[in-house]
Each structure stands twice: as structure tokens, then as C-alpha cells.
Amino acid sequence: LLVTTAIQGQNPRQQQRPPEVPKQVLENTNIRAAFSDRGVISLTDPQDKYKADIINSRSPWGRVKLVYRSGKGEWGELPDSVKQLKSGTSSAEFISVDKNAPVTLNQRFTLNGEALDYDITLRNTGTAPVEIGDLALFLPWRTASGENPEYIFENCFTKHHFIAGNGSFIFFTKPSGEPPFIMVLPKKGTRLEYFDGGRGGYKAYIHSSVAAGSVTSGTWRQPNTSLTLDPVKGKSEVNYGFKIKWADSWDDMRQTLYEEGLFDIRVVPGMTIPTDLAATFSLHTKNKIDSIVPEFPEKTTIKFLGEKQPGHLVYNVSFARLGENMLTVWYGNGQKTYLEFFSTEPLETLVKK
């Protein structure tokens, strides 16, 4: 399921900033990442003849929105300015320590074969509980600007995402539609539950109770969570992780989703269907599916059609209830992802209207 959402990337006027000299570079034949004290300032595929860079150095990756509070106190946000770069032979680590904050944030980028591992650790440094209200990654991308066709179509990107719990993923494509494409994939145990734009650009949320709670409009339907780090209860630290990887074709992206324990989802005829028709969907995955739970069981019919090819689980679904209908796919050790359908009146009724 390749879900496209176009929201704010970054201001084209920011592209006038001169290139920044990196303090560290991690690279192999598959990926090149350059770092400064501000974060990841360049991320390219060495095999791309256009050397397209997903990152505009003025808007680096490695920025994190971390909103927290102690007990029932006021919410505070860890400033990005406290981040420090610690270089290693095969990794780059950013350590964020604010003497006024009860929590620290460590980000480590490590070369791992074809991918760049991106691991995040939050640690409660005190003895009192600390609640994490928001934890989000800033992922702005190089957007099209100017009048040079080659720059617009081969050096800029468009974002696509599937924000759906443990099965989430994000990828970026060039306007030309030609590879390479870059993917941001949650590791096992890491999920995405929300996204927004605004100041600083696109953010993908691991926890989002504060951000989502401040939005009074819209109909976001997935849970917005927080996390409490309580040393007294033996939980003073939490780890999350992602893989960043270039793909050289659409089929390569789908296979990567499968290999990384996620889901390559295909739906026919689509995720908006009339009540008198059914949809067929395939879950191409290594995961054992425990159950698929409809939001409205009494008005939803799901039938398992079998494993048509190894790893391809095929289902048929129809909805009697108009409007939004969510299916929750449970798998693994309590992991879940979501399929959000929309059901309309029969086509004949719609045409007559």
C-alpha cells in the first residue's frame, strides 16, 4: 500500500544557504550520510548519477521533538540546541543533555550493510516519573523550486507515507518517478501513530498525546499515546529504531518492506468501495497474522482466501456501514497495524444523485 500525502517539506527560499562542511561522513557503496553539529546534513545514494540529496542542509535530519513533564507539572520541550555530536569510526551519535531537564535523548546513526541504522534512546535521569507526551522525528525533504527541469525532476523529492502503528513506513520519490527512492522503516517494536507539519516541516510521531490533543479539528482515528519512564517501576529507559535505505525500483521497495518484517499491501479495486461490492487485499509479510478485527464487526464481512503464494495472505472484505471503516491487523507479540477503508453507497445510487 503506497499511500501518498503531500504536506509541507521545507521553504524553497532556504535552498540558497551555502553547503555546510561536514564534520563526519559515513559511507559505503549503498549510502552516504554527512553530519554536522546540527544533524544529518546530507543523505545520498552513491550510485545515483544525479547525486540527488533528500536533505537541504539548512533543514537537517536528526532533529527530534521531545515534549515531557515530571509528575503532573507543566509540559516542557527539550531544545535542539543542547545536541552535541560524538563521532565514531562507523557511527555518529548525537547526545542531548539539558541540565534543567529530567530526561536525556541519544541518537545514533550506524552503517549497517545497505542501510543506515537510526537508533533513539530516552533516559530518565532522576527518580521521579517522567511522562513523554510527544516524541517525533523532523523529516523535511528537498522540495522542487526554480526553473531548471533536471533539478526539479531529478534532484528533488515528494513524500509518501503509511502511518499505521507498527506497520508504518515513509518513502520519498523524485518527481520524475525514477529511482532511487529512499525509505524510512521502523524497526520491530517501534511504531508511528501520527503526523503533522507546521514550523520546522513534516514530523512523524512515535508518541503524540500532546500534539494531537491540541488539535480540535479533523478526524484522526488512531490512538495518540504517551509513555511514562518510572525508575521506581524499573523503567527508566526506552529505545526506538529505524532503518534508512535507498531502493532502486518499486519492486525493491515492496521486497524491502517484506524483508524488514513490515507489510507490502495491495488492495483491489481500492480502499474506497461501495457497500454492494467487496475489496480483495493481500498482505505480503513474514509475520504470523493473529487476527484482523473490524471496527464494526456486525456490519463487516471478512473472509480469508488463503496463501496464494508463499508469504502472500489474501482476504476479501465488504462493509455494510457507510463511511470510515477500520480494520486492525494484530500480529507478532501484540503488534498491530491499521487498514482504513471508506464505504460509499452503491454506484448506481451515486450516479442517480
Side-chain angles (χ1 to χ4, degrees), residues 24-27 31-33 35 89-92 109-111 116:
Q24 184 179 6
V25 175
L26 299 177
E27 64 181 323
I31 194 166
R32 181 185 186 274
F35 303 84
T89 56
S90 61
S91 66
F109 295 86
T110 309
L111 283 178
L116 183 70

Side-chain angles (χ1 to χ4, degrees), residues 263 283 285 287-292 313 315 329-332:
F263 293 83
L283 304 179
T285 183
N287 296 295
K288 178 183 180 298
I289 305 301
D290 297 319
S291 62
I292 298 180
L313 309 175
Y315 299 81
V329 181
W330 289 91
Y331 66 98

Side-chain angles (χ1 to χ4, degrees), residues 120-123 132 207 227 229 235-240:
I120 299 170
T121 300
L122 302 181
R123 184 176 295 109
I132 307 301
H207 297 290
L227 171 74
L229 297 177
K235 189 176 182 61
S236 59
E237 181 177 302
V238 65
N239 298 286
Y240 301 103

Side-chain angles (χ1 to χ4, degrees), residues 61-229:
W61 287 13
R63 292 181 297 148
V64 172
K65 179 183 180 183
L66 173 56
V67 176
Y68 65 89
R69 68 179 176 183
S70 297
K72 297 298 180 181
E74 296 295 320
W75 292 106
E77 185 169 345
L78 189 70
D80 187 65
S81 59
V82 301
K83 180 171 60 186
Q84 296 179 352
L85 172 62
K86 179 182 177 182
S87 299
T89 56
S90 61
S91 66
E93 184 174 6
F94 292 96
I95 303 172
S96 299
V97 179
D98 182 351
K99 64 181 180 180
N100 297 316
V103 63
T104 62
L105 165 68
N106 283 31
Q107 302 177 75
R108 178 184 290 271
F109 295 86
T110 309
L111 283 178
N112 181 9
E114 296 184 351
L116 183 70
D117 282 346
Y118 178 17
D119 296 301
I120 299 170
T121 300
L122 302 181
R123 184 176 295 109
N124 182 345
T125 57
T127 57
V130 173
E131 183 180 3
I132 307 301
D134 286 341
L135 179 62
L137 313 181
F138 285 88
L139 296 172
W141 63 95
R142 186 180 298 273
T143 55
S145 65
E147 299 178 356
N148 184 326
E150 181 176 298
Y151 175 79
I152 292 171
F153 288 99
E154 301 297 350
N155 290 90
C156 299
F157 291 86
T158 300
K159 178 193 61 63
H160 313 257
H161 66 201
F162 179 55
I163 305 297
N166 297 102
S168 301
F169 61 92
I170 304 168
F171 69 99
F172 300 83
T173 64
K174 297 179 181 182
S176 67
E178 294 299 315
F181 316 120
I182 190 165
M183 309 177 72
V184 181
L185 309 171
K187 295 182 180 180
K188 185 177 181 180
T190 298
R191 66 172 183 248
L192 295 174
E193 64 181 32
Y194 187 67
F195 72 95
D196 65 19
R199 186 175 181 180
Y202 173 77
K203 297 184 289 295
Y205 285 78
I206 299 170
H207 297 290
S208 60
S209 64
V210 175
S214 67
V215 178
T216 57
S217 60
T219 57
W220 189 256
R221 305 175 70 244
Q222 297 179 32
N224 301 106
T225 67
S226 64
L227 171 74
T228 298
L229 297 177

